[in-house]
Amino acid sequence: TALQVCERLRQHVADYPWHTIQNGLNVTLSLGVVASDPSLSNPEKLTALADERLYEAKRLGKNRVQG
């Protein structure tokens, strides 16, 4: 469900009429998502993995959710 929530958020940002604020303005959102499990109970490990997925989303073309 975290992926679905993040995807809805990403879509809302992409669909917002940013051009009404500044002509030509376009805003996108890339997100990295991880779910906690017993092997990743360390907050630093979870954060590092989410960060890796964020950069993977950017490498794959930006404006996406990578889980």
Side-chain angles (χ1 to χ4, degrees), residues 18-31:
W18 296 102
H19 65 277
T20 62
I21 297 170
Q22 174 69 41
N23 191 29
L25 181 61
N26 184 33
V27 178
T28 62
L29 183 65
S30 294
L31 298 158

Side-chain angles (χ1 to χ4, degrees), residues 14-67:
D15 291 344
Y16 187 83
W18 296 102
H19 65 277
T20 62
I21 297 170
Q22 174 69 41
N23 191 29
L25 181 61
N26 184 33
V27 178
T28 62
L29 183 65
S30 294
L31 298 158
V33 181
V34 297
S36 181
D37 68 35
S39 68
L40 293 171
S41 60
N42 181 317
E44 289 80 18
K45 288 181 182 179
L46 284 170
T47 302
L49 184 53
D51 194 51
E52 286 175 27
R53 291 189 177 162
L54 167 61
Y55 283 99
E56 183 179 356
K58 290 180 177 187
R59 278 191 306 273
L60 294 172
K62 300 183 181 179
N63 193 30
R64 62 185 299 133
V65 176
Q66 190 65 39

